Amino acid sequence: MIIRTRRNSDIPSSEITPESAFINRRRFLGASAGIGAAAFLSRDAAGSPLSTRQDEEPNTWEEITTHNNFYEFGLDKKDPSRNAHTLVTRPWTVKVDGLCNKPGDYQLEDFIKPSTIEDRVYRFRCVEAWSMVIPWRGFPLADVIRRAEPHPSAKYVAFATLWDPEQMPERRWKPRIGWPYREGLRLDEAMHPLSLLVNGLYGKELPNQNGAPLRVIVPWKYGFKSIKSIVRMTFTEEEPPTTWATQTPGEYGFYSNVNPDVSHPRWSQATEKRIDGSRFFGSRRIDTLFLNGYADEVAHLYEGMDLQKYF
Ligand code: MTE
């Protein structure tokens, strides 16, 4: 992973307009007291009064769309918002293949259409120890997996991002990162109701820099598992190779569950910088939660596994 020292200018300061024009931000938060549960907001439940705690306040549109990692568009946090306009997101095809009964090349609209779109607020924790709270719009990853009818032998699902050097300016890192960017999940992780395919943010279309037109979000794992702009899903029996675990195996693993007790070889994961443009330094430090606060929902997936080992 590329760690860069953040300049103050990376985070816009006080001028941020909350997305209150779209919806009262607090209404997004469905989790009482914030710890543990994911925040769900179905469209028709949007009016219910909900409580939150201060560090669960969603980040602003500005913060979420100008502080990004999308290395195909550059290595600086600001580069994706500057460069990703060159990504052509329509038409878009997602290939489904590997060990399943319904492989095929699906047009984006057909891929999404059968699912019910929901808004959900999740914590987002990057392995670089910064975090945000993000109101995604999307649908369960489990929907498309069920429709693909994976074979009983399928144990994993692998994802790949588009790689088109004509649209993606960051060619220098091709040999090192080995694009296309690849990620993967165990099938039961991918089927978990918290795992999403996301096509929107703050109720609007997903901006290119955040992974348009369709990305994965797995909120209890470090952000690099949440692969952007996917063009392929492949069902496999073996654990698939993934970008960062292949590139730097001593530092990144396949599981990459958020764990404050397991330090990265080069820095602690005990705390995180919550991006907060209203603060002078553009962030505030908070404790990192085990499994990013989703332990009640997902810890059972790892029963019998030594989580200290599965970085
Ligand atoms: N997906 C692709 N294709 N390329 C990337 O560089 N970066 C990952 C992940 N998905 C990345 C990617 C990392 S390291 C993080 S932290 C998140 O995207 C950042 O998502 P965001 O920019 O929407 O916050």
Side-chain angles (χ1 to χ4, degrees), residues 234-249:
T234 308
F235 295 97
T236 66
E237 191 165 0
E238 305 297 330
E239 185 181 292
T242 57
T243 291
W244 292 106
T246 306
Q247 197 237 342
T248 322

Side-chain angles (χ1 to χ4, degrees), residues 68-72 124 126 161 181 210 215 223-224 226 228:
N68 300 102
N69 282 335
F70 199 166
Y71 294 121
E72 292 89 327
F124 185 87
C126 177
T161 295
Y181 193 101
N210 292 92
R215 74 177 296 181
F224 68 87
S226 291
K228 296 179 168 182

